């Protein structure tokens, strides 16, 4: 199958130029002006002056996640398909082993679930406990299965939360393997105590959720993870940074030369904590996710973080629970399954509130929706760039197209949308995945199982250098004369 995208303007994170793009199978073969189709079988896509960008990469999703006593309603087929409708051509989802479950066994479980995917996928693997077996299996996953990132939850006490000792051991192991440790940074102990106090005070509704996990809870944990990574010498990637407190911790570390990355969710950029005071329980509960939506002033800090490079990637933490699932917490907000959706709307929200609003250039848009993530997780320029030899995973982006976001019309398997009613400008006109047109003229043309697992190699060069530096600065014991003190 060959495909020729004509009449578009190629936008990469570092260049913009008018060119046609010719793909054969899943590879971009030629880029240039006025290309001809080599034969009558080539599919022509008329870009009509729109932008031709690398397909979006969402580094944070949870399709069909078993969590808080239920299973997320979005599965790998419907979720990746909804992403394709929004211009997203790769997700990095999470394998989250149960208590003392083998990481490899959990990885095989998730790989099985993902076989139905319509779009491409990769996996971070969560370290939810520690043992010699975990240490060993991290190596197998890194060497043999293309996993170069390991997740750590500092929240969710009594479920998947790990303590500082596991953070340190796992960060050391990541450094050894050349893998990136990532963290959900909230102080799970403090959240647990604040939840208890709120319930005892009779606050059982969704308004209790943000009260139990204020920005300080995230700022402290982000700083702690960063300090531990600093002592180990590993990089660290903070997922869903939602507040200035966490951004400031990242900024301090980056200013000191530490390799720290920050990820911002599209939802946290435009939704604030007033949603939890909605008189309608469903409207408030539908917004329960962690970290929670914050007071509005944090949004400007997050936008600033994306434009000044303190944060590098955007994501959605797409983790869907329908309202009847959210109702599990009707009498107790701590039992409301945490999670919201965003995979279909992230790129339009970022274009509309970022580029159209004058905060981001089109090249910066490509950086934060695709290229930076591809570089951090070591799949650039195969992904994250329109270039010869790169994957034919592209989006023809219509900068002037507009749509109104609604659960009534979205392709996500969820009866709620945190962007409900939002009019966005900037839409995916055509999405190409694995060299096939999978979205055009508002229609999905997807196939169950067409999505591929994308392996992500580890970073030996960079990490070996860090290990050498660690070796060179290893403290040594002071050599002393025999003590003169006579012990009784
Ligand atoms: O914490 C996460 O990232 C998962 C469990 C999704 N839920 C959420 O509220 N963010
Ligand atoms: Zn999280
Ligand atoms: Zn998550």
């Amino acid at each position: 199958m060959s495909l020729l995208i004509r009449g578009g303007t190629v936008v990469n994170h570092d260049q913009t130029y008018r060119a046609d793009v010719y793909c054969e199978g899943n590879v971009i073969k030629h880029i240039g002006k006025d290309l001809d189709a080599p034969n009558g079988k080539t599919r022509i896509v008329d870009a009509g002056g729109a932008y031709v960008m690398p397909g979006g990469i969402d580094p944070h999703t949870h399709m069909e996640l078993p969590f808080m006593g239920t299973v997320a309603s979005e599965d790998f087929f419907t979720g990746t398909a909804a992403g394709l409708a929004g211009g997203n051509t790769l997700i990095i989802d999470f394998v989250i082993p149960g208590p003392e479950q083998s990481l490899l066994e959990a990885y095989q479980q998730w790989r099985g679930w993902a076989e139905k995917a319509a779009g491409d996928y990769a996996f971070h693997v969560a370290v939810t406990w520690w043992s010699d077996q975990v240490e060993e299996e991290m190596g197998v996953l890194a060497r043999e299965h293309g996993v170069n990132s390991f997740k750590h939850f500092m929240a969710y006490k009594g479920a998947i939360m790990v303590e500082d000792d596991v953070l340190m051991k796992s960060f050391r192991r990541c450094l050894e393997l050349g893998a990136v440790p990532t963290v959900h940074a909230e102080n799970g102990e403090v959240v647990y105590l604040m939840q208890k106090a709120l319930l005892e005070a009779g606050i059982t509704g969704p308004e209790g959720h943000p009260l139990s996990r204020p920005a300080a809870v995230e700022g402290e944990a982000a700083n702690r993870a960063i300090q531990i990574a600093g002592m180990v010498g590993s990089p660290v990637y903070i997922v869903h940074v939602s507040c200035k407190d966490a951004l400031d911790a990242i900024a301090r570390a980056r200013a000191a030369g530490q390799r720290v990355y920050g990820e911002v969710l599209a939802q946290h950029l435009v939704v604030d904590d007033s949603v939890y005071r909605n008189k309608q329980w469903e409207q408030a509960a539908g917004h329960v996710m962690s970290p929670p939506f914050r007071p509005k002033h944090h949004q400007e800090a997050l936008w600033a973080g994306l434009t000044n490079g303190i944060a590098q990637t955007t994501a959605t933490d797409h983790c869907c629970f329908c309202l009847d699932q959210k109702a599990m917490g009707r009498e107790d907000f701590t039992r409301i399954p945490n999670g919201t959706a965003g995979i279909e709307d992230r790129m339009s929200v970022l274009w509309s509130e970022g580029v159209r609003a004058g905060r981001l250039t089109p090249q910066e848009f490509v950086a934060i929706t695709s290229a930076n993530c591809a570089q951090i997780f070591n799949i650039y320029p195969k992904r994250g760039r329109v270039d010869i030899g790169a994957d034919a995973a592209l989006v023809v982006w219509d900068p002037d197209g507009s749509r109104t976001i609604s659960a009534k019309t979205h392709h996500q398997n969820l009866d709620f949308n945190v962007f409900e009613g939002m009019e966005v400008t900037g839409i995916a006109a055509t999405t190409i995945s694995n060299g096939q047109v999978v979205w055009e003229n508002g229609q999905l043309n997807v196939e169950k199982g067409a999505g591929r697992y994308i392996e992500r190699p580890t970073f030996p060069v960079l990490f070996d250098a860090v290990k050498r530096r660690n070796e060179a600065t290893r403290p040594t014991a002071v050599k002393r004369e025999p003590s003169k003190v006579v012990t009784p």
Side-chain angles (χ1 to χ4, degrees), residues 60 62 94 151 240 317:
H60 193 153
H62 299 280
F94 290 86
K151 174 76 173 289
H240 49 45
D317 199 357

Side-chain angles (χ1 to χ4, degrees), residues 60 62 65 67 151 153 156 184 240 289-290 317 319 338-339:
H60 193 153
H62 299 280
L65 173 72
F67 189 56
K151 174 76 173 289
F153 290 92
Y156 306 125
H184 172 135
H240 49 45
M289 71 169 297
S290 295
D317 199 357
C319 189
N338 285 209

